[in-house]
Amino acid sequence: MTRGDFLGFGILGTIVGALLTIPPAAFVLGPVIDVNVRGESDVPDDWYRVGPIGEIPAKEPKVYVVEFPVNQVYSEEQVIEEGVETPGATIDNAVWTSWREEIGENGEAIHRIPSFVESGVQPPLTQEQIDEVTANLNVLSSSCAHLGCPVRWIVKEDGGEFLCPCHGGIYDINGGYVGGPPPRGMYSFTFEVREDANIYVKHEFDIGGDKGPQQPYVI
Ligand code: FES
């Protein structure tokens, strides 16, 4: 092989390598590179009312629908040039609420509904009552932790479970992973309970650990 042939093969190899590498790299980095072009959804950082704690049954979850306002901004350039915004737009999110379930010494399910809730909630709640409710409440996103399909509660003889209709992901009433493709349990909303005996959420997931709250990737 001559020196010219060697250099020619080298240049050809470089071109072919670039052709094979650039498209997947652009695909992966696309959301970072051109966020201005694609636009992004934006739910204001605020608290949104879910519903009253008094309506959550002792042994089953209750689903509430929360309307999160969305200020969809398509791109900075468009906003500046055309004033494109959608104020007043909302997106409905299903929020699953339930009392935490624990398994007793004999394998029986214990539902952690506070006694003052069972006997009828009388607002305003004391701080002690708010703390008790907060410690025993599940406030879960209906978006499956696999690819975001909305999960459903399926009643069974021995209680029930959340089932994802897309690929069969299964979770228990606390949102814990039971089976199927999801890599983890259901996501919990950042929530608080107030004196008026209602639950309020932010449009973010509290994923625990040291990672802090995360923006939902599916809304
Ligand atoms: S989206 Fe729920 S199991 Fe795949």
Side-chain angles (χ1 to χ4, degrees), residues 3 13 37 43 48 61 65-66 68 77 82-83 91 93 114 122 128 130 136-137 177 182 190 199 214:
R3 188 163 174 268
V37 177
V43 176
Y48 302 95
V65 175
V66 178
F68 290 104
E77 289 77 8
E82 304 168 24
I91 290 186
N93 272 211
Q122 300 284 338
E128 198 179 330
I130 289 173
N136 292 298
L137 203 56
Y177 173 81
T190 300
I199 305 163
Q214 306 279 308

Side-chain angles (χ1 to χ4, degrees), residues 144-149 151 164-169 171 181-182:
C144 177
H146 181 219
L147 294 176
C149 290
V151 300
C164 176
C166 289
H167 315 104
Y171 309 89

